[in-house]
Amino acid sequence: MKRSHTAVVVGILLALVAVVLVSPSALAYSLNGYSWPYGVSPLTYRSFFSHSALTTAFNNAMSDWDNTSTPISFSYDEYNFQVAGIEYSDSDGYYGYWTPYASGSNLVAADINLNWNYLWNLSATIQRSTAGHEWGH
């Protein structure tokens, strides 16, 4: 009886550890219940960065995603864009974040916000990785 009780306790503890370790990464690319409508590809984009390092990171990260097997591709459009790259500078604790705009459960547009306050002195790889993470939403 004691062995089965120990096995149950160990099983519960392992399950809790798994939840703690898996949940953040599982939610990393959450769309918060939204999705791009079927057939929306390519998504159009434009960036509004004042620092060329962020423009480069944004464009390279978009190209990284464009070169994967994901079903969405990207195309630049200066006036009629769905995804906007936006620069901000704040001590909010984030390298970047995304802002979805939806109609019902369909995404119609999104902002990729990159925080120059934190990214300015980091490597181009970290800047690109941050932009890539936000593109992934």
Side-chain angles (χ1 to χ4, degrees):
M1 185 72 161
K2 191 172 186 176
R3 282 188 191 171
S4 65
H5 176 70
T6 302
V8 169
V9 170
V10 169
I12 291 171
L13 288 175
L14 287 174
L16 288 174
V17 168
V19 166
V20 169
L21 294 177
V22 173
S23 292
S25 61
L27 296 175
Y29 292 102
S30 169
L31 295 174
N32 302 99
Y34 307 121
S35 63
W36 292 104
Y38 181 77
V40 73
S41 188
L43 289 176
T44 55
Y45 71 94
R46 179 171 181 204
S47 63
F48 297 91
F49 300 113
S50 60
H51 293 92
S52 63
L54 292 184
T55 301
T56 299
F58 180 83
N59 289 338
N60 287 341
M62 178 275 308
S63 180
D64 292 341
W65 274 106
D66 214 17
N67 290 320
T68 68
S69 61
T70 57
I72 292 180
S73 62
F74 305 96
S75 176
Y76 180 83
D77 191 318
E78 186 173 355
Y79 302 106
N80 194 13
F81 52 90
Q82 296 157 294
V83 178
I86 308 226
E87 179 178 331
Y88 77 107
S89 189
D90 196 354
S91 298
D92 61 4
Y94 297 104
Y95 286 179
Y97 65 93
W98 81 298
T99 306
Y101 302 96
S103 175
S105 63
N106 288 326
L107 285 169
V108 294
D111 292 340
I112 293 176
N113 305 277
L114 299 178
N115 192 348
W116 186 246
N117 187 56
Y118 293 117
L119 294 172
W120 73 271
N121 65 343
L122 297 177
S123 72
T125 301
I126 297 294
Q127 294 171 357
R128 183 178 188 160
S129 297
T130 300
H133 170 86
E134 300 309 331
W135 269 111
H137 287 286

